[in-house]
Amino acid sequence: MSSSTPLTRLAERLRQLLHRNGKPTRLHPPAFWAEATSTAGLALAPAWRKVRDLWLRYAWPVLSVVSILGWSVLAAAILLWSTGQAFGWQEAKAAAIAAFVFFVIAVGFILGRSSYGVVLDLARTRVAVGDSAVGSIAVSNTSARPLLPAALELPVGAATAVFHLPRMKPQQVHEDLFTIPTARRAVIVVGPVRSVRADPLHLLRRQVLWTEPEDLFVHPRTVALAGSAAGFIRDLEGMPTTDLSSADVSFHALRDYVPGDDRRHIHWKTTARTNKLMVRQFEETRRAHLAISLSINTEEYASEHEFEMAISAAASIGRQAIREQRELDVLTQKGPLRCETGRNMLDDMTRIVGAPMRRTAVDLARSLADTVPNASVVFFVVGSNVTPTQLRSASASVAPGVRSLAVRLQAGAAPSRANIADLTVLTLGDLADLAIVLRKAAA
């Protein structure tokens, strides 16, 4: 017998339970019962898996057809029949027989097979908050005989839409349009489309799935910045540093030639005038690299509306950076977001779920400094409950020479700019004012 069989593993567990280091063990009652429970679980696991598989394969498809009302009627029929037998109540027996008859008649309504061809089509799988999300269901009769009227159900998130099909001739196609509300940022699971057969009393309910579910992304609302960030984010020349280089695009000065220097950088006019080799020296530049620290700690926001504004502001800044082909990193308390494309970033922004957390915006700023050490511009997107002291602590984690800005969301506040040491604090009361506060930062 292989050492990996369940019986071998069980025997090994029992040996360890009764002997330790070659000597009999003395177990206390709590430890004994814990070990006994674990050993019993190990022994019964294979049998339990087999029973569960048989249940899901054969029993559950049959029992799931009976609705809660159906089980209630069936239990009441059994109770009435038992009571009638025990006390000789003919009325109880008659009621039980009537309930059983209703149950048997209900079986006739769910028998039979339908042959549909169902196509679920979402016009767009990604929309912004407030945009219209439209879809259609096209149903065709693929059988060689007419089909009776039926109902199709379409789960949309937590709700369910019902579509009534008329009597359909062979190869006939019936199409219905539907609209999905997009008032909130969310990932809405649409589908699968299912046909439902049920009796008039809904004692039995049989459903067949015809399509796969699809995800509808309701992205956060964003605003176009139209290049308003160009005042403090340089792309072509980059942001100059104090490091000197022998080759770059930002000329700094001339110096004496050193063996090993590239001869293409020799400045021949100065060499002819001074009678010694002189080479050009450059300032190192770096391509603009944005890093956005988005706090999703709901305790730092005064309201849910303020939290949603923060997500929209971060998404707007990140979307503009991707459009301008700048490097971008977005970090939250739950980790980094994908920023390869605007779609990936907005998809991850849509999946964000805020919650009270122990990690604050200050902790997130420190993580950002370690995660994105080469950032040239850093945005801290925070709520109105974040204090100036916390913002000062967050800016202290930013490396020298890196431009740092805090976008502080406060619903209804007028757009304004303030400075805390080297940190520029932009107060935003409405998402439409984002371009205005960014221009204030560039001024």
Side-chain angles (χ1 to χ4, degrees):
M1 183 179 293
S2 173
S3 59
S4 61
T5 60
L7 289 177
T8 305
R9 292 197 298 269
L10 178 60
E12 180 65 21
R13 175 65 67 88
L14 291 174
R15 187 187 65 79
Q16 294 176 357
L17 178 63
L18 299 176
H19 296 82
R20 188 166 296 171
N21 297 327
K23 299 179 180 179
T25 59
R26 183 179 180 182
L27 297 177
H28 296 287
F32 173 79
W33 284 114
E35 290 289 345
T37 302
S38 177
T39 304
L42 181 63
L44 298 176
W48 168 251
R49 283 195 297 268
K50 184 175 294 186
V51 170
R52 184 186 60 184
D53 292 341
L54 292 174
W55 170 270
L56 294 177
R57 185 173 181 180
Y58 297 106
W60 177 248
V62 176
L63 298 179
S64 61
V65 172
V66 185
S67 66
I68 296 177
L69 178 60
W71 286 115
S72 302
V73 170
L74 191 59
I78 295 174
L79 179 61
L80 289 171
W81 182 264
S82 301
T83 303
Q85 284 287 91
F87 297 99
W89 293 350
Q90 299 302 320
E91 295 84 355
K93 289 184 179 181
I97 293 174
F100 279 120
V101 170
F102 283 134
F103 206 86
V104 172
I105 293 175
V107 174
F109 284 89
I110 66 170
L111 295 178
R113 298 183 59 184
S114 298
S115 182
Y116 293 119
V118 182
V119 177
L120 173 63
D121 180 31
L122 295 179
R124 291 187 296 168
T125 58
R126 286 165 174 81
V127 297
V129 171
D131 292 348
S132 60
V134 181
S136 66
I137 296 179
V139 183
S140 59
N141 180 3
T142 58
S143 66
R145 58 183 177 82
L147 294 179
L148 296 176
L152 289 183
E153 290 185 350
L154 175 65
V156 181
T160 301
V162 179
F163 300 89
H164 296 282
L165 298 179
R167 184 177 184 276
M168 299 178 63
K169 299 178 181 179
Q171 308 307 317
Q172 181 181 349
V173 178
H174 177 79
E175 186 173 4
D176 276 311
L177 300 178
F178 60 89
T179 303
I180 301 175
T182 58
R184 296 172 57 87
R185 174 182 60 90
V187 180
I188 303 175
V189 180
V190 182
V193 178
R194 60 198 183 203
S195 60
V196 179
R197 283 174 173 265
D199 62 281
L201 297 179
H202 291 276
L203 301 179
L204 302 180
R205 173 187 171 91
R206 177 188 169 200
Q207 62 184 27
V208 179
L209 304 183
W210 296 100
T211 66
E212 295 295 328
E214 296 188 28
D215 289 335
L216 173 65
F217 288 84
V218 183
H219 288 161
R221 188 165 64 95
T222 58
V223 293
L225 302 183
S228 61
F232 55 87
I233 303 174
R234 301 178 186 176
D235 194 358
L236 178 60
E237 294 185 352
M239 298 184 67
T241 68
T242 57
D243 300 326
L244 299 180
S245 172
S246 61
D248 215 310
V249 296
S250 181
F251 175 73
H252 176 65
L254 296 173
R255 62 170 175 79
D256 292 340
Y257 175 84
V258 176
D261 286 340
D262 193 338
R263 294 187 180 182
R264 292 176 298 177
H265 297 145
I266 295 176
H267 196 270
W268 293 108
K269 290 184 179 180
T270 305
T271 298
R273 188 173 63 252
T274 60
N275 204 25
K276 60 179 180 179
L277 290 174
M278 301 292 291
V279 296
R280 299 180 183 89
Q281 192 172 44
F282 302 86
E283 281 185 336
E284 278 193 0
T285 60
R286 56 188 175 189
R287 186 175 179 84
H289 187 158
L290 265 71
I292 300 176
S293 167
L294 172 61
S295 177
I296 59 174
N297 184 355
T298 54
E299 293 183 344
E300 297 178 342
Y301 296 89
S303 64
E304 183 180 356
H305 173 64
E306 196 173 278
F307 177 68
E308 292 298 326
M309 273 205 306
I311 295 177
S312 294
S316 299
I317 296 172
R319 190 177 185 184
Q320 183 67 24
I322 292 175
R323 282 179 176 175
E324 297 178 4
Q325 298 182 345
R326 295 192 176 98
E327 296 184 46
L328 174 68
D329 282 279
V330 181
L331 190 68
T332 70
Q333 280 91 338
K334 291 186 178 179
L337 306 186
R338 297 175 300 165
C339 298
E340 298 86 3
T341 63
R343 170 182 283 194
N344 287 344
M345 183 200 67
L346 290 174
D347 284 354
D348 283 2
M349 288 278 187
T350 305
R351 293 189 180 98
I352 289 177
V353 178
M357 300 178 180
R358 297 181 61 182
R359 294 189 64 194
T360 64
V362 178
D363 300 322
L364 182 59
R366 292 168 182 162
S367 300
L368 184 72
D370 296 333
T371 306
V372 194
N374 57 340
S376 59
V377 179
V378 173
F379 283 91
F380 301 117
V381 183
V382 298
S384 59
N385 292 342
V386 177
T387 64
T389 303
Q390 290 176 308
L391 290 177
R392 187 191 302 272
S393 300
S395 65
S397 62
V398 178
V402 177
R403 184 75 183 272
S404 57
L405 303 99
V407 179
R408 185 170 177 267
L409 282 303
Q410 185 175 0
S416 62
R417 168 188 171 174
N419 292 322
I420 301 178
D422 294 333
L423 177 67
T424 302
V425 181
L426 308 174
T427 301
L428 181 65
D430 191 286
L431 185 62
D433 297 331
L434 181 59
I436 297 175
V437 297
L438 289 181
R439 282 196 293 268
K440 287 180 179 291

